[in-house]
Amino acid sequence: MWPKDVGIRALEVYFPAQYVEQTDLEAFDGVSAGKYTIGLGQSRMGFCNDREDINSLCLTVTQRLLERHGIEPREIGRLEVGTETIIDKSKSVKSVLMQLFEPYGCTDIEGADTTNACYGGTAALFNAVSWVESSSWDGRFALVVAADSAVYAEGSARPTGGAGAIAILVGPEAPLVFDRGLRASCMRHAYDFYKPDLRSLYPVVDGKLSIKCYLSALDSCYQVYCDKVQKKGGDKQPVTLASFDAFLFHSPYCKLVQKSFSRLAFVDFLNAPKDQALEERYKDAARFHAAKLEDTYFDRDIEKAFMQLSKADFERKTRPSLLIANQVGNMYTPSVYSGLVSLLISKPIGELAGNKIGVFSYGSGLCSSMYSLTVTRDTQDGSGLSKIIAALSYVKPQLEGRHCVSPADYTRVLTLREENCHVVPFTPESSIDDLFPGTYYLVQIDEKYRRTYKRV
Ligand code: ACO
């Protein structure tokens, strides 16, 4: 017998206390005004200085979740990390997080790290869900941590950076339940974005190819997801965007998410039998009926038509999930889950009750999956859902409480990080005064590359 309603019991998000204004970055980079803010849909970009690294990000978000939700270390039976920010290579970040558990005598905790670009968090989450549903489950919670520092070399990709972390507590009788048997994946070999130079902080990225890969993976996952729902449910109505109350996407930049939403509308349109209401709805686009999905990734006419046709739905179903993505940028592995946090804090609880939430997770290289969550209908005070939402009340004030750094200073921070990438011993220089309370920070890297941390 499977445990009932396996899903998300708690969420904690963390982003650094400083950001660059994208309008300032446009001027600094000498690109036309509006390119990053309107063209990419980004307002601010969070980043780490030399006080924070992947270990500190994960320590911060994990400890904050445990404290905020009153979870004891002994209640965690599985802990794993999804990240593409690699420092100790063979040594997992999960093993670093054990510093939070060992002092309590808790070392019987399964799990290690998972890496594939922005997808590692989802792979870790699937592992966690599978563990709770397996014969190895011992009744404790699983904790999934996804974190990254996303930085690009100078040039067109730099404004699509970001940084942050998320912790997701997984267990039975959850208010956000994973729909069983409804996962669709698309996994392929592609060199769209990867990090082959281990001396460098930066990825090798083929921007245009990465967009094509993202969109083709989206098409594929959506088709497979729709087929799986049909097979599972018998002769019910086919799945379309109308089947979802909200749709979350991995967000490299918000404009791509809007394009992705319209892409699903386009797939619905191609799938719709000629005599259906959908046909009526999309009648202005009738001339695109013969189009083949794989020929249309950069088709401006189709993109424009379906962005327009799906605009109202996008505003309702996806825009609320882009708050953190717009304010922090691409956090890589946490990105799509920051979308869940943004959604939960952007709508009244009554509007979330019983919702069906579609989720699309993408990591270059490439791994991608689509699945769905069902929100509980129990919205009373003290219910699991109301607790999750109440515990996230810090997010908006903290987004506003960050301090703005000039693009020149941001560039200096990155240059220093480039120079010190493999320098040991190393003592960071940035002040710890502006860190949010409860943030772990790097104290030192010794001559054997061993890192030590303290907490504000
Ligand atoms: N006002 C309004 N819009 C503008 C302006 C302006 N002044 N100037 C340009 N734009 C628009 C462009 O028309 C374009 O819109 P479109 O996408 O609808 O065509 C958009 O701004 C971006 O401009 P481009 O010239 O296409 O941008 P560029 O090629 O310089 O870089 C890119 C964009 C490829 C996304 C780059 O930032 C990048 O490589 N990022 C990293 C890779 C990435 O994020 N890939 C996504 C999936 S993979 C992943 O998650 C990492």
Side-chain angles (χ1 to χ4, degrees):
M1 184 67 178
W2 272 326
K4 197 167 164 283
D5 292 344
V6 175
I8 297 174
R9 301 264 307 225
L11 282 162
E12 177 79 21
V13 68
Y14 170 77
F15 36 80
Q18 60 275 334
Y19 68 87
V20 185
E21 201 72 65
Q22 291 280 9
T23 45
D24 294 346
L25 200 57
E26 287 168 352
F28 182 80
D29 288 350
V31 301
S32 56
K35 179 170 178 184
Y36 303 160
T37 44
I38 299 165
L40 299 176
Q42 293 302 120
S43 292
R44 293 173 172 175
M45 177 169 62
F47 68 97
C48 298
N49 61 32
D50 61 1
R51 284 292 179 184
E52 294 186 276
D53 61 15
I54 186 59
N55 293 340
S56 75
L57 288 172
C58 291
L59 285 163
T60 301
V61 80
T62 303
Q63 186 63 16
R64 282 192 358 181
L65 180 136
L66 296 177
E67 285 173 1
R68 203 181 302 277
H69 291 271
I71 306 286
E72 302 286 338
R74 63 180 164 74
E75 292 179 83
I76 304 295
R78 188 174 177 102
L79 169 65
E80 55 192 302
V81 174
T83 184
E84 57 166 298
T85 310
I86 307 298
I87 46 180
D88 289 330
K89 300 194 186 82
S90 72
K91 177 171 161 56
S92 62
V93 178
K94 183 270 176 71
S95 64
V96 176
L97 294 183
M98 289 310 295
Q99 292 172 102
L100 304 176
F101 296 85
E102 280 176 69
Y104 300 90
C106 303
T107 53
D108 173 27
I109 301 181
E110 281 189 13
D113 291 4
T114 307
T115 297
N116 188 91
C118 307
Y119 184 81
T122 295
L125 188 58
F126 285 180
N127 288 344
V129 171
S130 300
W131 177 71
V132 174
E133 290 182 341
S134 77
S135 63
S136 301
W137 187 51
D138 61 5
R140 290 182 292 168
F141 294 120
L143 184 57
V144 174
V145 179
D148 277 301
S149 164
V151 284
Y152 291 93
E154 271 177 44
S156 64
R158 184 157 274 191
T160 60
I166 196 129
I168 307 171
L169 191 72
V170 175
E173 285 155 40
L176 303 165
V177 183
F178 289 91
D179 292 336
R180 280 200 169 123
L182 292 180
R183 285 184 200 162
S185 290
C186 173
M187 309 271 175
R188 283 199 220 118
H189 169 59
Y191 280 125
D192 60 330
F193 165 115
Y194 49 111
K195 294 179 177 163
D197 184 352
L198 299 179
R199 293 159 305 180
S200 170
L201 294 171
Y202 305 128
V204 172
V205 52
D206 180 337
K208 193 157 185 200
L209 178 63
S210 73
I211 295 166
K212 187 177 164 196
C213 287
Y214 180 107
L215 294 175
S216 75
L218 175 70
D219 293 347
S220 176
C221 284
Y222 189 53
Q223 298 278 24
V224 175
Y225 177 91
C226 294
D227 289 349
K228 284 194 179 171
V229 175
Q230 284 259 279
K231 282 201 188 103
K232 221 180 159 204
D235 55 2
K236 276 201 265 160
Q237 283 287 314
V239 177
T240 65
L241 275 174
S243 316
F244 300 93
D245 303 289
F247 219 109
L248 316 178
F249 298 81
H250 165 57
S251 180
Y253 50 94
C254 295
K255 195 60 172 290
L256 186 60
V257 171
Q258 186 169 0
K259 289 185 182 191
S260 299
F261 188 92
S262 73
R263 186 92 193 151
L264 298 188
F266 178 49
V267 178
D268 282 352
F269 160 81
L270 291 183
N271 285 346
K274 289 247 181 260
D275 57 343
Q276 278 207 347
L278 252 151
E279 175 84 356
E280 174 60 25
R281 182 164 173 209
Y282 293 128
K283 64 179 184 305
D284 292 344
R287 67 188 187 282
F288 301 123
H289 240 310
K292 285 206 179 69
L293 275 176
E294 58 273 24
D295 298 336
T296 58
Y297 301 120
F298 300 104
D299 186 315
R300 289 285 179 192
D301 295 336
I302 290 177
E303 186 182 287
K304 205 166 152 218
F306 282 88
M307 292 262 279
Q308 196 49 45
L309 285 164
S310 63
K311 193 165 188 301
D313 275 350
F314 167 77
E315 293 297 332
R316 227 160 19 93
K317 298 186 179 190
T318 295
R319 174 80 75 196
S321 68
L322 292 176
L323 172 71
I324 297 173
N326 168 266
Q327 289 289 311
V328 180
N330 188 357
M331 309 195 319
Y332 288 167
T333 50
S335 165
V336 64
Y337 301 101
S338 83
L340 182 58
V341 169
S342 298
L343 175 71
L344 294 175
I345 61 173
S346 296
K347 286 193 173 179
I349 189 166
E351 279 183 33
L352 293 164
N355 274 192
K356 179 72 71 193
I357 304 175
V359 182
F360 175 64
S361 175
Y362 176 83
S364 291
L366 67 84
C367 296
S368 64
S369 294
M370 187 174 285
Y371 62 93
S372 49
L373 294 164
T374 302
V375 183
T376 175
R377 291 190 181 279
D378 182 3
T379 58
Q380 291 169 19
D381 281 354
S383 65
L385 184 63
S386 72
K387 281 188 190 156
I388 291 190
I389 296 171
L392 292 170
S393 62
Y394 68 90
V395 175
K396 284 182 182 169
Q398 249 174 32
L399 277 173
E400 287 310 313
R402 297 175 298 162
H403 61 274
C404 182
V405 171
S406 71
D409 285 343
Y410 169 70
T411 307
R412 263 191 288 280
V413 165
L414 284 197
T415 307
L416 262 179
R417 279 179 52 189
E418 283 168 31
E419 286 166 9
N420 291 321
C421 193
H422 292 287
V423 173
V424 288
F426 175 70
T427 307
E429 284 166 12
S430 302
S431 162
I432 57 167
D433 295 347
D434 290 325
L435 296 173
F436 289 127
T439 303
Y440 282 83
Y441 60 90
L442 179 67
V443 175
Q444 209 223 352
I445 310 176
D446 74 9
E447 66 293 346
K448 284 188 145 182
Y449 295 87
R450 293 173 299 195
R451 293 171 188 241
T452 41
Y453 300 90
K454 275 194 183 155
R455 195 177 190 211
V456 189

